[in-house]
Amino acid sequence: MRLTFILYTTGRCNLRCRYCGGSFDPAKVPWRVEYNLKLLEDLVRGGDVIAYYGGEPLLNIGFIEDAVERFWDCRHVIQTNGLLLDRIPREILDRLDAILVSLDGVRWITDLWRGHGVYDRVVGGVRRLREMGFAGDIVARMTVTFESDIYRDVTHLLELGLFDHIHWQLSMVWLDRRLWGDLWGWIESSYKPGLERLMGLWISGLWHGEIIGIAPFQGILKRILDGGPTPPCGSGEDSFAVLTDGRIISCPIAVEENWAWVGMLGTVSRCELEGRRNFIGEPCRSCELLSICGARCLYTHRERLWGDEGVEAVCTCSRHIVELVRRNLGRIEEATGMSGLGMEDLAYPEYNNTVEIMP
Ligand code: SF4
Ligand code: SF4
């Protein structure tokens, strides 16, 4: 069984995005790695995935260099805010399978939530990576807010021609509920119709033999064809996060929550990790879509930050996108057949590269 290890390289961040707040309190997530990397050797096997995470992982490039050298037979991935891409040494760049970069869509929305000038710096950094010949998977990770227009923002990022895949996560339940205002109006009149238009675009690409890298559609299709962990991001089943002080947790966001606790490095075996399964409660446990939707996100499923309304909103969006893919399976098959593609060509990601699949 292949596992993904999400390694915090630091709790510090060089941005302070409005939906996140920036660096962790060092008492909760230390800003330096305090354990010996050798301890990880008992858990990691060749072929596993190592994903560098933070805070901003590129603030500790030395740790990344050590880990890439030590775990030379693993796949290496970085999730970064994209401001320090020029710090990645050439020999590390050549070893990276995927770089996931945060961008929220068009310039104004990215700069509104992440900070003035962020869009241009990140896009410039990604452009340089391409000019340097980086041939791995570059994924734009969008945080979707009530100002997002999913069709506009996804197509904008696609049109830049820099990204292999676009993924997004809904920020509802992470923000103050009052900020979302007309939540249900946004879901019904903006998000759902936007998804329908994106599906139309995706299928028209397939007719021409082009697989447009809309990661949620591809990931959901993969789960329909092959199944996968619950939740789809794999947290606590095939993906584990290691904090800078050596704590192992299931979901990288859940740095304080008891349900996410797995153990300390040095006290947990590979066997225990491989055998671990999450507890899923209602309404997901008895949902007919559970094998595809996977309860969407373990953190929001467990924490229920907006109470019943949050559960319902997240579920409505999840149900809609899963059913959108299911409803279009016939058209997808027809288009792929006509252009000589196979359904398996559409499935993404090939391995758990930390794209969470369900937005
Ligand atoms: S569709 Fe809703 S109830 Fe069903 S698994 Fe997903 S979030 Fe849970
Ligand atoms: S999708 Fe949810 S459970 Fe998975 S890593 Fe993100 S916050 Fe954690």
Side-chain angles (χ1 to χ4, degrees), residues 125-145:
V126 175
R127 192 161 279 131
R128 270 192 300 281
L129 287 183
R130 288 301 190 205
E131 285 163 3
M132 288 169 72
F134 179 72
D137 187 13
I138 306 187
V139 184
R141 294 185 80 251
M142 298 163 50
T143 301
V144 169
T145 58

Side-chain angles (χ1 to χ4, degrees), residues 76-138:
H76 297 270
V77 168
I78 291 187
Q79 266 203 37
T80 171
N81 63 28
L83 291 187
L84 303 175
L85 291 169
D86 55 356
R87 282 201 189 176
I88 308 176
R90 181 77 226 197
E91 58 278 15
I92 298 296
L93 197 58
D94 290 341
R95 293 297 323 279
L96 294 176
D97 250 52
I99 302 178
L100 293 86
V101 178
S102 303
L103 265 183
D104 297 337
V106 294
R107 182 184 283 110
W108 70 262
I109 206 161
T110 301
D111 285 1
L112 180 68
W113 287 89
R114 293 186 182 270
H116 182 65
V118 168
Y119 174 95
D120 285 335
R121 283 185 64 184
V122 175
V123 170
V126 175
R127 192 161 279 131
R128 270 192 300 281
L129 287 183
R130 288 301 190 205
E131 285 163 3
M132 288 169 72
F134 179 72
D137 187 13
I138 306 187

Side-chain angles (χ1 to χ4, degrees), residues 280-297 301 311 314-316 318-320 322 358:
I280 301 295
E282 297 298 354
C284 302
R285 187 143 54 137
S286 42
C287 173
E288 76 285 5
L289 296 181
L290 181 62
S291 64
I292 307 171
C293 171
R296 191 258 189 173
C297 158
H301 175 74
V311 172
V314 163
C315 177
T316 299
S318 304
R319 195 172 280 278
H320 188 79
V322 168
M358 284 296 293

Side-chain angles (χ1 to χ4, degrees), residues 142-185:
M142 298 163 50
T143 301
V144 169
T145 58
F146 48 89
E147 276 133 341
S148 303
D149 173 326
I150 197 69
Y151 185 83
R152 175 198 66 202
D153 292 312
V154 171
T155 52
H156 170 78
L157 293 175
L158 287 169
E159 281 160 12
L160 289 177
L162 296 170
F163 299 101
D164 300 285
H165 294 93
I166 315 291
H167 184 56
W168 64 91
Q169 286 279 294
L170 298 166
S171 69
M172 62 184 65
V173 313
W174 301 104
L175 294 173
D176 186 327
R177 168 66 185 91
R178 285 166 299 184
L179 275 177
W180 267 84
D182 185 12
L183 167 70
W184 292 96

Side-chain angles (χ1 to χ4, degrees), residues 40-336:
L40 261 175
E41 286 178 0
D42 295 337
L43 295 179
V44 178
R45 301 262 187 283
D48 281 347
V49 182
I50 306 221
Y52 304 98
Y53 193 89
E56 170 46 48
L58 292 174
L59 288 170
N60 188 358
I61 195 78
F63 176 84
I64 297 174
E65 286 175 312
D66 287 350
V68 167
E69 190 180 335
R70 191 176 288 263
F71 302 107
W72 57 272
D73 53 357
C74 290
R75 294 176 189 251
H76 297 270
V77 168
I78 291 187
Q79 266 203 37
T80 171
N81 63 28
L83 291 187
L84 303 175
L85 291 169
D86 55 356
R87 282 201 189 176
I88 308 176
R90 181 77 226 197
E91 58 278 15
I92 298 296
L93 197 58
D94 290 341
R95 293 297 323 279
L96 294 176
D97 250 52
I99 302 178
L100 293 86
V101 178
S102 303
L103 265 183
D104 297 337
V106 294
R107 182 184 283 110
W108 70 262
I109 206 161
T110 301
D111 285 1
L112 180 68
W113 287 89
R114 293 186 182 270
H116 182 65
V118 168
Y119 174 95
D120 285 335
R121 283 185 64 184
V122 175
V123 170
V126 175
R127 192 161 279 131
R128 270 192 300 281
L129 287 183
R130 288 301 190 205
E131 285 163 3
M132 288 169 72
F134 179 72
D137 187 13
I138 306 187
V139 184
R141 294 185 80 251
M142 298 163 50
T143 301
V144 169
T145 58
F146 48 89
E147 276 133 341
S148 303
D149 173 326
I150 197 69
Y151 185 83
R152 175 198 66 202
D153 292 312
V154 171
T155 52
H156 170 78
L157 293 175
L158 287 169
E159 281 160 12
L160 289 177
L162 296 170
F163 299 101
D164 300 285
H165 294 93
I166 315 291
H167 184 56
W168 64 91
Q169 286 279 294
L170 298 166
S171 69
M172 62 184 65
V173 313
W174 301 104
L175 294 173
D176 186 327
R177 168 66 185 91
R178 285 166 299 184
L179 275 177
W180 267 84
D182 185 12
L183 167 70
W184 292 96
W186 180 85
I187 292 174
E188 295 302 329
S189 344
S190 175
Y191 189 58
K192 285 185 180 180
L195 290 181
E196 310 271 342
R197 285 183 73 198
L198 276 181
M199 178 55 80
L201 179 77
W202 196 55
I203 294 176
S204 73
L206 295 178
W207 278 106
H208 299 102
E210 184 193 1
I211 303 172
I212 301 174
I214 302 178
F217 293 166
Q218 295 180 271
I220 289 168
L221 185 71
K222 185 174 185 199
R223 287 181 66 85
I224 292 172
L225 299 174
D226 303 334
T230 306
C233 65
S235 284
E237 295 205 350
D238 72 7
S239 170
F240 297 90
V242 182
L243 300 178
T244 39
D245 53 8
R247 277 177 290 152
I248 307 173
I249 55 177
S250 56
C251 155
I253 305 294
V255 300
E256 294 184 288
E257 288 72 7
N258 287 335
W259 54 262
W261 172 254
V262 176
M264 283 303 289
L265 262 186
T267 68
V268 177
S269 70
R270 172 89 186 192
C271 227
E272 286 170 69
L273 295 185
E274 288 191 6
R276 203 173 177 285
R277 294 295 172 267
N278 292 310
F279 171 79
I280 301 295
E282 297 298 354
C284 302
R285 187 143 54 137
S286 42
C287 173
E288 76 285 5
L289 296 181
L290 181 62
S291 64
I292 307 171
C293 171
R296 191 258 189 173
C297 158
L298 188 63
Y299 190 98
T300 51
H301 175 74
R302 296 298 294 256
E303 291 296 317
R304 306 195 175 213
L305 297 175
W306 283 3
D308 289 347
E309 189 191 31
V311 172
E312 214 183 310
V314 163
C315 177
T316 299
C317 295
S318 304
R319 195 172 280 278
H320 188 79
I321 192 166
V322 168
E323 284 177 344
L324 183 64
V325 177
R326 284 215 309 188
R327 200 169 67 234
N328 281 286
L329 275 179
R331 290 174 69 207
I332 295 168
E333 253 172 319
E334 199 185 346
T336 46

